Amino acid sequence: MHVVVVGAGVIGAACAEALSAAGATVTVVDRSGPAAGTTGAGEGNVLVSDKEPGPELELAQAARRQLPELLAKLADELGPELSDVEWQPKGGLVVATTDPRPLRDFAERQRTAGVTAHEITPEQAFELEPNLTREITTAVHYPEDGQVQPVLLATTLLSAVRQRGGRLLSGVTATGATKSALVTDSGTIACDHIVNACGPWAGDFASKLGAPLPVLPRRGLILVTTPVADLVRHKVYDADYVGAVASGDADLQTSTVVESTPAGTVLIGSSRQRVGFDETIQVDVLRELARKAIRLFPRLAGVNVMRAYGGFRPYTPDHLPVVGADPRVPGLWHATGHEGAGIGLAVATGRLLAELMTGQEPHVDPKPFRVDRPGLAA
Amino acid sequence: MNVTINGEPATVEPGRTIAAVVPNVGVFCAIGVCHGCLVTVNDVPDVRACQRVLREGDEVITR
Amino acid sequence: MTIVVVGAGPAGVNAAVTAARAGKDVLLIDSAARIGGQYHRQSFRAKEIRVAHERVRHLPDTTVWAIEDNRLHLTGSRVVTAEKLILATGAYDRTLPFPGWDLPGVYTAGAAQAMAKGQGIALGRNVIVAGTGPFLLPVASSLLDVGAKVRVFEANSPSHRWLREPTALFAGRRKLLELTRYAKVARHYRERTAVIAAHGDDRVREVTVAELDDNWNPLRQKRIAVDAVCVGYGFVPQLELAIAAGCRLSDGFVAVDEQQRTSVPWIFAAGEITGVGGADLAADEGVIAGAAAAGVQLGLTVDRRFADALTRVYAVKDGWKSWLTDDTIICRCERVTRHRLQEATGRGATATRAVKLASRAGLGPCQGRICGATVADLLDLDPTTFARRPIATPIPLGDLAANPVEEQ
């Protein structure tokens, strides 16, 4: 079985890895190269804390269980350098600065779905995060939350694919398909299946194959500070994060996610805005992020921000990923629509897709992610 | 003009940059591009020593 | 509404004064305390030279950190609206990496000049100036002026190469005459020679100097004792504001028409960001840009033939890559070695953003200003992709969070 995966972001890379592990011959094509789009502009969140009970949380939990196992396996296969993805299972801390009840209720619902969510006192929160604002009303600690460096994760997965004999073709743009081949600007590639892992551009690509898909870009901006020692230890969010992720509003929404990286920089995300593929910087968005971050960590006011980067996250009308076969075009499969959660959902998405394609028992229920579900109907 | 550098008092000529009076501060480009000479001045971190002209009473901490 | 000029070097000052003479109010913004830029840097001991036109307001110690439509965001939580914008942000030294270039005592050529001219300080007593380009001569000269012993190593062989540029030589005869000012440097000057390694424990003590072939591959080598090395291999334009404003680039510089107009109708560009050509050319371009922004036709044009020849005579040759070893630092901020960079490409990273994030080259405080050209050259990437910096200079988060004050 020869599969061509279109898109070398983390989702395409995870699909390619899982397919090659299942014995398929895999070719990955990307018009730029690995992690050049959405993945390269991501924070690297591997989160369960921000998800309501439901299909997405189940996928996230599955991915969270698989990621350390997969990384250990890839370390054996690739060696320590190529398999290093800066995986940090450091835990997340969600804090409320106003009414504590919504966060409490949310954590309670998550616990019934199997998420580890410890409600802790403000004092305990200050022990975990000494620089946190004193103005918090409650906090929930999520030890399962973690972080990777997304470009490293995508390139590690692709390295495994290549090690197993698969191919990575960078600078090759997919333009269409015939019954048994992908058509690109550098010739056709004969294959049995095509996986559409084009992220926010997945709708465009699907249209070219005669299978329209309602995936749209949602812009996210992240601020990066200069390196600063021991100011932030976990991933820290304010409790309105959940609301912003699940919202369909076009207007700007920001919620604070503050975390440090192994390099010492502090990442501050994340805004969500439906502005098409507009890349221009908006200072009011940056200002809002800065204000909310300082509200959580007042000491950040004196730290320099040196970089801002923006990316486009693929979202669907019902905010669920699309994973599986497209009944309209035999041989076409989709793996997209993960919005800002793709890094954390990638490895379970890849495994699910490989299971469906090879006829194995799926490890998570695939029905909610079907392309012909009512939630995707126009 | 009086300043302190890593806690030590120093007298400097007005108009001097930090890079001109503090040895081994990491100067490479001396025109504010390379950010190699970052110091803390009056508790403000990441100040470029090659660009910052000293003022009376400045407290400079090098890395 | 005013004409805003960013950069107070030869191009910016001339643009500002020209626009002011045409009756416009001008705001001249510069990151330094005094006007002059790199070339006309003022000594802190001398009486300050200011712009003597009442319609020009000089805003010193100020950096434009973002451009959003015609709103310029300034350091110190200030914002200004520009009717017309003239970008004259200049250029800085390009350096090439070599083993040991991260040792204290290795500087850019521009550093030697800035410290000598601005602060009256020699970066060493026994200094080597190495690189390529006519700029090495004034650098050496300013070091001699502050009492250093200086040797100059020019990697190219301009004394032969210029003979193939008769038209440019004629066009640049005034410039060449100016170079005779540096005759005192001549007996310390050697061509086809470069510093290919620096040695020392806590700081540079010795360098390896090599004779080069035409492609800059090392031939005969010897070690020389020094206490400072200043390197400059041409210049890198400061493009981030032009890129943020959406100005079209061409061959690595801001594309302009004969009126110095960029592809964005209300934005003009002058000086080194439109092509490296030196202070006189920059000043002429500034005059044209200032007049055009003020809506005045001067009928002036600039002669770029000499400047264009400079890029041919003093081109950077690929042989420098053979000076590197696996553990040579490529990115100084993040201490990324060539090995680490190769590891990133070995993972398959090809796009600039992926290469940066996989290797960490270009992610430190200088945001790829020093290593961008190097990484681009090593990996065959477009160097201007390293100049995309929506936040043009680091600013405190507290300043970003504050409500900005309107600068009139």
Side-chain angles (χ1 to χ4, degrees):
Chain A
M1 179 170 73
H2 183 200
V3 185
V4 179
V5 177
V6 183
V10 74
I11 298 295
C15 291
E17 191 282 329
L19 287 162
S20 71
T25 304
V26 181
T27 301
V28 181
V29 303
D30 193 287
R31 61 182 173 187
S32 308
T38 304
T39 299
E43 293 147 289
N45 284 329
V46 180
L47 303 185
V48 294
S49 59
D50 64 335
K51 292 171 184 70
E52 288 271 4
E56 196 193 0
L57 178 61
E58 280 168 38
L59 195 62
Q61 288 171 303
R64 175 62 183 83
R65 282 191 297 272
Q66 288 158 35
L67 184 62
E69 295 162 18
L70 180 60
L71 291 176
K73 184 180 142 200
L74 295 181
D76 289 343
E77 236 179 293
L78 300 170
E81 254 182 21
L82 266 182
S83 64
D84 178 22
V85 302
E86 294 183 4
W87 165 234
Q88 291 184 298
K90 60 183 174 185
L93 190 65
V94 181
V95 300
T97 51
T98 53
D99 182 1
R101 279 169 302 183
L103 175 58
R104 265 182 206 148
D105 297 346
F106 183 65
E108 178 55 41
R109 289 202 301 281
Q110 288 177 311
R111 272 193 291 272
T112 58
V115 172
T116 309
H118 302 299
E119 186 172 345
I120 59 174
T121 63
E123 288 68 32
Q124 288 170 313
F126 304 146
E127 257 171 53
L128 291 171
E129 288 291 345
N131 295 302
L132 190 63
T133 174
R134 304 290 119 163
E135 289 170 19
I136 65 170
T137 52
T138 191
V140 179
H141 181 222
Y142 293 87
E144 293 163 301
D145 279 359
Q147 184 179 336
V148 293
Q149 212 275 25
V151 174
L152 295 183
L153 178 58
T155 51
T156 289
L157 293 166
L158 290 167
S159 297
V161 172
R162 288 190 293 161
Q163 179 112 330
R164 297 166 191 159
R167 286 190 304 166
L168 166 65
L169 304 177
S170 294
V172 172
T173 304
T175 55
T178 66
K179 259 195 177 126
S180 57
L182 179 78
V183 181
T184 77
D185 59 354
S186 332
T188 60
I189 304 170
C191 59
D192 304 301
H193 302 281
I194 293 168
V195 179
N196 173 15
C198 298
W201 300 275
D204 284 351
F205 179 61
S207 296
K208 285 182 188 149
L209 272 56
L213 192 65
V215 178
L216 289 169
R218 204 174 190 193
R219 190 177 189 206
L221 273 173
I222 296 166
L223 294 173
V224 186
T225 72
T226 49
V228 50
D230 199 37
L231 202 149
V232 183
R233 296 176 181 175
H234 303 77
K235 302 172 79 78
V236 182
Y237 325 82
D238 64 16
D240 53 335
Y241 183 76
V242 176
V245 176
S247 169
D249 290 349
D251 295 342
L252 166 69
Q253 294 160 12
T254 60
S255 59
T256 325
V257 184
V258 183
E259 65 190 304
S260 54
T261 67
T265 56
V266 175
L267 304 186
I268 299 167
S270 162
S271 59
R272 285 148 204 282
Q273 209 177 3
R274 280 155 49 182
V275 289
F277 285 109
D278 182 359
E279 280 197 72
T280 50
I281 196 96
Q282 286 172 293
V283 172
D284 56 345
V285 176
L286 303 182
R287 179 167 297 123
E288 189 68 16
L289 285 172
R291 281 182 182 161
K292 290 192 167 181
I294 291 169
R295 208 174 67 197
L296 277 185
F297 288 93
R299 265 189 59 195
L300 280 173
V303 174
N304 277 348
V305 54
M306 64 173 174
R307 182 161 79 241
Y309 60 96
F312 300 102
R313 287 87 184 262
Y315 83 96
T316 61
D318 60 3
H319 297 277
L320 282 178
V322 182
V323 185
D326 194 317
R328 297 166 293 181
V329 179
L332 174 64
W333 300 70
H334 302 289
T336 184
H338 296 74
E339 200 157 341
I343 311 297
L345 299 175
V347 296
T349 297
R351 185 165 153 193
L352 176 61
L353 186 97
E355 286 160 348
L356 294 171
M357 201 182 282
T358 56
Q360 295 172 60
E361 181 69 24
H363 74 297
V364 289
D365 180 7
K367 270 205 276 330
F369 308 117
R370 288 172 63 107
V371 66
D372 53 356
R373 66 186 187 243
L376 290 190
Chain B
M1 207 174 72
N2 298 301
V3 299
T4 69
I5 292 155
N6 293 325
E8 299 285 323
T11 306
V12 300
E13 216 178 331
R16 283 293 187 196
T17 61
I18 296 170
V21 301
V22 184
N24 299 324
V25 77
V27 170
F28 178 64
C29 79
I31 60 171
V33 171
C34 79
H35 289 67
C37 61
L38 299 180
V39 296
T40 300
V41 184
N42 307 329
D43 292 330
V44 177
D46 299 339
V47 175
R48 284 168 274 180
C50 68
Q51 297 294 287
R52 176 65 155 72
V53 175
L54 283 160
R55 298 180 203 127
E56 180 69 39
D58 275 343
E59 292 178 9
V60 179
I61 308 283
T62 63
R63 281 178 295 182
Chain C
M1 296 284 264
T2 49
I3 294 180
V4 176
V5 180
V6 183
V13 167
N14 279 284
V17 170
T18 306
R21 283 184 182 150
K24 297 290 182 182
D25 290 323
V26 179
L27 187 65
L28 176 61
I29 299 173
D30 193 84
S31 57
R34 296 183 177 187
I35 64 162
Q38 305 311 334
Y39 191 78
H40 296 299
R41 181 178 292 276
Q42 301 186 41
S43 163
F44 78 103
R45 289 205 181 95
K47 187 175 181 313
E48 184 180 354
I49 300 165
R50 299 166 194 264
V51 181
H53 198 291
E54 59 188 9
R55 285 186 178 276
V56 177
R57 193 157 80 85
H58 174 217
L59 212 54
D61 301 313
T62 300
T63 305
V64 179
W65 68 265
I67 293 187
E68 197 181 17
D69 301 325
N70 64 345
R71 301 274 282 169
L72 308 185
H73 296 268
L74 314 180
T75 48
S77 299
R78 292 166 294 167
V79 66
V80 64
T81 304
E83 179 191 0
K84 296 277 169 57
L85 176 64
I86 301 172
L87 293 172
T89 47
Y92 55 87
D93 302 79
R94 176 170 181 195
T95 45
L96 294 177
F98 50 84
W101 76 302
D102 50 320
L103 283 170
V106 180
Y107 304 96
T108 68
Q113 205 190 32
M115 292 300 275
K117 275 190 177 178
Q119 295 285 320
I121 288 173
L123 287 175
R125 285 187 304 273
N126 179 14
V127 185
I128 286 179
V129 177
T132 188
F135 178 60
L136 301 180
L137 300 177
V139 168
S141 172
S142 59
L143 279 163
L144 288 170
D145 290 347
V146 287
K149 178 190 169 208
V150 180
R151 275 168 287 189
V152 181
F153 297 134
E154 161 64 58
N156 280 304
S157 36
S159 55
H160 293 90
R161 184 63 179 73
W162 273 118
L163 300 176
R164 281 150 57 190
E165 303 280 355
T167 322
L169 272 181
F170 183 72
R173 59 194 182 280
R174 210 180 66 188
K175 195 83 192 159
L176 289 170
L177 213 59
E178 187 192 314
L179 289 178
T180 59
R181 273 204 320 224
Y182 306 118
K184 61 183 172 184
V185 177
R187 59 197 200 84
H188 313 289
Y189 173 89
R190 264 179 78 173
E191 296 188 349
R192 297 171 68 105
T193 309
V195 170
I196 62 165
H199 316 279
D201 35 22
D202 54 335
R203 59 169 296 114
V204 60
R205 307 281 176 190
E206 285 190 331
V207 292
T208 300
V209 173
E211 275 177 41
L212 304 178
D213 69 11
D214 284 343
N215 198 36
W216 293 11
N217 293 301
L219 303 171
R220 277 193 310 162
Q221 307 179 12
K222 66 173 176 185
R223 283 208 183 199
I224 299 180
V226 293
D227 54 23
V229 187
C230 303
V231 288
Y233 287 89
F235 294 92
V236 180
Q238 304 243 42
L239 294 175
E240 52 278 318
L241 293 180
I243 290 174
C247 300
R248 195 172 65 80
L249 305 181
S250 167
D251 282 337
F253 294 92
V254 180
V256 289
D257 66 10
E258 58 286 354
Q259 298 293 301
Q260 302 298 131
R261 215 176 255 117
T262 71
S263 62
V264 181
W266 62 284
I267 302 179
F268 300 75
E272 310 295 65
I273 58 166
T274 65
V276 170
D280 293 339
L281 181 64
D284 291 348
E285 290 174 357
V287 169
I288 293 168
V296 179
Q297 289 286 343
L298 285 183
L300 286 178
T301 53
V302 290
D303 183 349
R304 290 208 56 92
R305 283 174 299 177
F306 184 71
D308 291 344
L310 285 175
T311 61
R312 292 189 293 270
V313 173
Y314 299 100
V316 171
K317 309 284 172 52
D318 271 348
W320 69 267
K321 296 169 190 170
S322 71
W323 309 347
L324 309 182
T325 63
D326 264 356
D327 55 3
T328 303
I329 297 287
I330 300 296
C331 165
R332 299 167 67 90
C333 295
E334 295 284 319
R335 299 198 63 75
V336 177
T337 60
R338 187 184 68 170
H339 171 78
R340 180 101 193 254
L341 192 65
Q342 284 170 339
E343 197 197 320
T345 53
R347 281 171 169 269
T350 49
T352 297
R353 180 184 262 181
V355 166
K356 285 167 71 178
L357 284 159
S359 69
R360 299 208 58 78
L363 291 182
C366 95
Q367 289 294 292
R369 284 176 170 86
I370 302 297
C371 72
T374 298
V375 176
D377 227 2
L378 287 172
L379 304 184
D380 199 19
L381 295 165
D382 174 359
T384 64
T385 58
F386 288 82
R388 281 181 56 107
R389 301 181 190 99
I391 295 183
T393 195
I395 53 164
L397 267 173
D399 284 6
L400 173 55
N403 278 321
V405 174
E406 198 78 27
E407 187 72 56
Q408 294 306 318

